[in-house]
């Protein structure tokens, strides 16, 4: 009946832009200037970023790894969150002064407390 009325199954299409800032680089220029100022004074400058969360368990993940020919690693057919042992939340920390970086992985909630604990 829906087909007869001209309806079709369709996914959402991203097409509406939000309002643009008159100078989109202004924010980044300000941040870079402050970072340079702090680094010049030997003060710490860090970048904190949350990476893609992943279900923990027997799930298919993108990527490849070396396996014997004809013996691919097996995973569950469906990636249902309720079948997961949890969710891995990677937090990337980059210390710009010495150019060091590391990743902390939590498995509870992505909270400001986790960001602080990662630092």
């Amino acid at each position: 009946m829906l087909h007869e009325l001209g309806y079709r199954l369709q996914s959402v299409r991203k097409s509406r832009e939000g309002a643009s800032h008159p100078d989109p680089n202004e924010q980044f220029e300000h941040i870079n200037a402050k970072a340079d100022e702090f680094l010049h004074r030997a003060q710490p400058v860090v970048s904190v970023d949350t990476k893609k969360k992943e279900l923990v368990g027997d799930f298919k993940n993108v990527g490849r790894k070396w396996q014997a020919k004809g013996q691919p690693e097996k995973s569950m057919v469906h990636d249902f969150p309720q079948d997961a042992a949890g969710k891995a939340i990677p937090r990337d920390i980059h210390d710009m002064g010495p150019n060091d970086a590391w990743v902390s992985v939590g498995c509870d909630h992505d909270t400001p407390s986790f960001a602080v604990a990662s630092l």
Side-chain angles (χ1 to χ4, degrees), residues 28-60:
F28 299 107
E29 290 169 1
H30 173 75
I31 291 170
N32 286 336
K34 286 294 180 185
D36 287 343
E37 177 186 321
F38 274 66
L39 289 170
H40 183 71
R41 295 189 340 233
Q43 296 294 311
V45 176
V46 296
S47 170
V48 181
D49 182 32
T50 301
K51 300 300 183 188
K52 183 178 179 292
K53 299 173 181 121
E54 296 284 349
L55 295 175
V56 176
D58 189 17
F59 302 109
K60 181 181 185 296

Side-chain angles (χ1 to χ4, degrees), residues 65 67-75:
K65 71 181 196 180
Q67 298 284 109
K69 184 175 179 178
Q71 298 179 16
E73 189 172 329
K74 309 274 190 213
S75 71

